[in-house]
Amino acid sequence: MRKISAQLFMALDGVVEAPDQWHFPYFNEEMGAAVDATLGTADTLLLGRRTYDSFAGAWPGREEAGGEDAPFAKMLGDARKFVVSNRQLDLTWRNSEQLSGDLVEAVAELKGGPGTPIWISGSVSVVRQLLAAGLLDELNLLVHPIAVGKGLRLFEERDAPIALKLVSSETFRTGVLNLFYAPDTSPGEATYDDAKAHLSQTEP
């Protein structure tokens, strides 16, 4: 069974939309290594249509230009790319194909097959649905020390909570937090009476 990992750039107020407008001042070699480490273990990308359009509009040209980011661009180009959309797409970037049918069912089939981990970058709607369905194995949030103030947030209002457990954390020199979460299948239950046992008993 394949592991599915998602990586998102997130502002301190939970915004994950348009990171290109606030993210780059915090990008350093530590973050570059974090992105490389995630992608380097995957041969398959799962992308929402908007993320795919953004990637396909930039990375093939960067690969062709042969600059410093050309090796990373080639890595993206060589990976198998599944694109999620409700309408028929004309996909021009090599190794790209549209994911057909119900998202959860299709991803469950991919997950059950052979291969290296599947990597999701951005694609907030896809991440939300896979979290809710219990198909996401790892959520990597790169939390930036900035409150953007507006934009799409990863977590929206829902009827039931999604429990996660922190697997690892690292603080970059820029103040960015590199956080890895996994599903928590047994978060337990507690009340205020249970919590009182952990409060200070010092008299005022």
Side-chain angles (χ1 to χ4, degrees):
M1 182 172 290
R2 305 173 78 176
K3 177 180 178 181
I4 302 180
S5 300
Q7 184 181 69
L8 295 102
F9 298 137
M10 176 182 281
L12 200 58
D13 53 358
V15 172
V16 290
E17 184 177 1
D20 57 298
Q21 298 179 14
W22 46 265
H23 153 73
F24 288 116
Y26 302 94
F27 199 100
N28 63 0
E29 70 279 5
E30 293 171 304
M31 189 176 294
V35 173
D36 286 344
T38 304
L39 180 59
T41 62
D43 64 3
T44 303
L45 308 183
L46 180 62
L47 303 170
R49 180 186 58 80
R50 291 183 180 179
T51 302
Y52 174 83
D53 287 346
S54 175
F55 278 24
W59 291 111
R62 292 173 182 172
E63 180 181 353
E64 185 177 351
E68 293 182 1
D69 54 0
F72 184 79
K74 183 179 185 305
M75 191 183 304
L76 290 174
D78 289 344
R80 189 178 185 187
K81 292 169 282 294
F82 288 98
V83 187
V84 179
S85 179
N86 292 324
R87 61 182 178 84
Q88 189 62 38
L89 302 176
D90 181 20
L91 305 176
T92 58
W93 196 9
R94 72 179 187 276
N95 300 324
S96 299
E97 56 191 287
Q98 187 164 351
L99 194 68
S100 302
D102 178 77
L103 172 65
V104 171
E105 293 178 359
V107 172
E109 184 176 349
L110 280 177
K111 183 179 175 70
T116 62
I118 299 169
W119 187 61
I120 306 171
S121 178
S123 310
V124 177
S125 176
V126 174
V127 173
R128 285 175 176 170
Q129 293 179 70
L130 298 187
L131 269 174
L135 289 174
L136 194 68
D137 299 292
E138 181 179 79
L139 178 62
N140 178 204
L141 299 177
L142 291 154
V143 183
H144 295 54
I146 182 174
V148 177
K150 62 178 180 179
L152 184 70
R153 288 166 170 77
L154 173 58
F155 299 107
E156 57 185 354
E157 289 190 16
R158 51 181 291 111
D159 294 331
I162 296 176
L164 300 170
K165 59 184 176 182
L166 183 65
V167 177
S168 68
S169 63
E170 179 184 8
T171 304
F172 296 156
R173 293 190 303 274
T174 57
V176 171
L177 300 177
N178 185 22
L179 308 175
F180 284 86
Y181 291 93
D184 190 350
T185 56
S186 56
E189 297 181 358
T191 65
Y192 176 67
D193 287 336
D194 299 309
K196 284 193 298 186
H198 303 289
L199 297 175
S200 173
Q201 303 300 315
T202 304
E203 295 290 337

